[in-house]
Amino acid sequence: MATNVPEAVANDLNPGPIEAEDAATSDWDEESIASSTQSLTESILDHIYQGGRRYHRKSKEQYFLPSDDTEQDRLDMIHEMHLELLNRRLTMTKLTEDPGNVLDCGCGTGIWALDFGNEHPGSQVVGLDLAPIQPGWTAPNVKFELDDLEKEWTYAPNHFNFIHSRHLAVSIKDWPKYLRQMYYHAAPGANIEVVEYNMDKMLCDDGTMPENSAYHTYTDALQSSLQKLGIDGGYHATDYKRMMQEAGFVDVNIYAFKIPIGIWTRNPKLKKIGFIFYHIATTGAEAHAYSLLTNVGGYSVENARKIIDDVVATFKRAKEHVYYMEYYITGRKPK
Ligand SMILES: C[S@@+](CC[C@H](N)C(=O)[O-])C[C@H]1O[C@@H](n2cnc3c(N)ncnc32)[C@H](O)[C@@H]1O
């Protein structure tokens, strides 16, 4: 395992501007964008199909992203992007030894939990999710459970030595309660790590994103729809930090990264990350917006499709040098 801390890490909220190439182009090979096929073995009754995507019935009214193979591929690509960002590390938390009991909240395909279990054979890792999209086979020290993180947790108090939570901003309605539950079930001295991103707007340092950008239309539509669900999509790293401190965690640190959308940047590392994110965003725009906008936001199917298609076309053109912020917020329960 590489243990070097990534050079791009900045323990503040303002890493420097990302430089664009002289002529950022959109030489994308559409053929290379992976397609996926549906498994024939899954019980069709567990799923709801809408707009060509498959959603898990258990997530209904709780989580609006699909759970089909396309989405599972996307979640695994996000994991790869984080590995690249952290120079192949799984966490920004400095662990001196294998933490005993580990919880991965909203584990998705289980890829982080499996990798963590592999790197820490002395740990017992639980991956918890609403939807059963984890592999049936698993390592001896990793298990998967199905539950709702917004309900009362059934674990013993003071149980976990490390709690990891990545990309649950579109899911958790009551963050203070969620963090209080983490605190209650964390052992004294345990570490927690919350990994989130800014959802309220895309960012741009060089004026290439116009006022009427499709990015703004897209993020505004997401925000207003999330609001109707009672989800605050406007949290930034400092909000998570404050809520973690209010829950009782100490030594709370923020590590902030800029993630370019597409390959418009000169910086080779960010270009690679932007390339991975391009693939993530190609299906991610629909994954985030289609069900949310049509089922919650009150958008017509045509309107939702247009918002999604416009934003995808915009990042494919790569003329707007747009990025978002990815935040790792680490903390510790006092001994
Ligand atoms: C965007 S995915 C992130 C997956 C994973 N953390 C990762 O980074 O690869 C969010 C996951 O959280 C799960 N989820 C959403 N709301 C949840 C809840 N209330 N309880 C448990 N899992 C939830 C979803 O089913 C989905 O798998």
Side-chain angles (χ1 to χ4, degrees):
M1 173 184 57
T3 51
N4 53 326
V5 175
E7 80 215 10
V9 167
N11 193 3
D12 64 44
L13 290 175
N14 189 21
I18 314 177
E19 255 187 276
E21 279 190 327
D22 292 337
T25 59
S26 55
D27 288 331
W28 297 102
D29 176 7
E30 292 293 329
E31 296 289 311
S32 71
I33 296 171
S35 65
S36 64
T37 51
Q38 198 84 15
S39 161
L40 293 175
T41 56
E42 280 157 331
S43 162
I44 204 151
L45 294 175
D46 287 342
H47 301 117
I48 298 162
Y49 293 81
Q50 197 195 358
R53 302 300 301 266
R54 192 191 73 195
Y55 298 81
H56 205 273
R57 197 174 285 281
K58 286 213 176 73
S59 308
K60 197 168 178 282
E61 288 167 18
Q62 185 75 28
Y63 181 65
F64 283 82
L65 277 72
S67 60
D68 52 17
D69 290 354
T70 306
E71 177 64 1
Q72 292 179 39
D73 287 349
R74 192 181 75 86
L75 294 181
D76 288 349
M77 277 192 277
I78 293 174
H79 181 67
E80 176 58 26
M81 186 193 81
H82 283 272
L83 287 176
E84 278 297 317
L85 196 60
L86 303 191
N87 294 340
R88 311 309 293 176
R89 287 159 51 105
L90 287 168
T91 166
M92 285 303 296
T93 300
K94 292 168 190 70
L95 299 167
T96 48
E97 55 191 32
D98 285 359
N101 294 318
V102 178
L103 176 66
D104 185 23
C105 300
C107 64
T109 63
I111 194 165
W112 185 92
L114 284 165
D115 276 3
F116 193 89
N118 190 35
E119 278 187 9
H120 299 273
S123 298
Q124 297 298 320
V125 186
V126 175
L128 185 143
D129 204 283
L130 278 176
I133 55 172
Q134 302 74 37
W137 50 266
T138 178
N141 64 335
V142 180
K143 69 174 175 174
F144 295 112
E145 295 178 355
L146 297 179
D147 213 332
D148 182 348
L149 287 161
E150 300 234 79
K151 301 214 168 107
E152 295 306 313
W153 295 9
T154 54
Y155 303 109
N158 302 321
H159 178 67
F160 290 108
N161 306 100
F162 184 34
I163 301 180
H164 176 257
S165 168
R166 187 168 73 187
H167 292 185
L168 288 168
V170 290
S171 322
I172 300 294
K173 293 189 180 73
D174 189 344
W175 272 88
K177 178 181 173 198
Y178 177 53
L179 292 166
R180 278 198 304 274
Q181 297 224 66
M182 280 192 196
Y183 188 86
Y184 184 68
H185 296 278
N191 293 101
I192 73 157
E193 180 161 326
V194 170
V195 186
E196 288 301 340
Y197 52 96
N198 74 296
M199 287 195 305
D200 52 347
K201 59 176 189 235
M202 298 298 176
L203 303 160
C204 173
D205 290 337
D206 64 4
T208 52
M209 179 170 60
E211 288 289 310
N212 64 351
S213 169
Y215 283 113
H216 294 315
T217 314
Y218 172 77
T219 48
D220 289 351
L222 281 188
Q223 287 304 309
S224 61
S225 306
L226 285 171
Q227 248 169 34
K228 288 190 181 170
L229 270 181
I231 293 176
D232 187 339
Y235 288 143
H236 285 243
T238 45
D239 300 305
Y240 293 110
K241 177 175 180 171
R242 176 183 42 77
M243 291 188 287
M244 277 162 71
Q245 286 170 329
E246 283 166 3
F249 292 104
V250 295
D251 296 342
V252 180
N253 286 310
I254 297 170
Y255 303 90
F257 298 86
K258 290 182 173 180
I259 309 291
I261 299 178
I263 53 162
W264 53 264
T265 169
R266 276 179 208 276
N267 177 310
K269 175 170 172 165
L270 288 183
K271 199 180 192 68
K272 186 169 181 189
I273 286 167
F275 178 73
I276 301 171
F277 195 77
Y278 169 89
H279 286 269
I280 293 167
T282 300
T283 63
E286 181 191 63
H288 278 85
Y290 186 79
S291 171
L292 183 66
L293 265 53
T294 56
N295 294 324
V296 182
Y299 288 79
S300 67
V301 166
E302 295 69 32
N303 205 353
R305 278 271 169 241
K306 182 168 178 352
I307 290 170
I308 294 162
D309 291 347
D310 285 353
V311 79
V312 172
T314 305
F315 73 71
K316 283 186 173 177
R317 275 196 299 276
K319 296 296 178 204
E320 298 181 25
H321 303 153
V322 168
Y323 65 91
Y324 75 95
M325 299 299 301
E326 192 78 53
Y327 309 119
Y328 296 70
I329 307 120
T330 60
R332 188 174 57 79
K333 179 168 171 174
K335 289 217 175 191

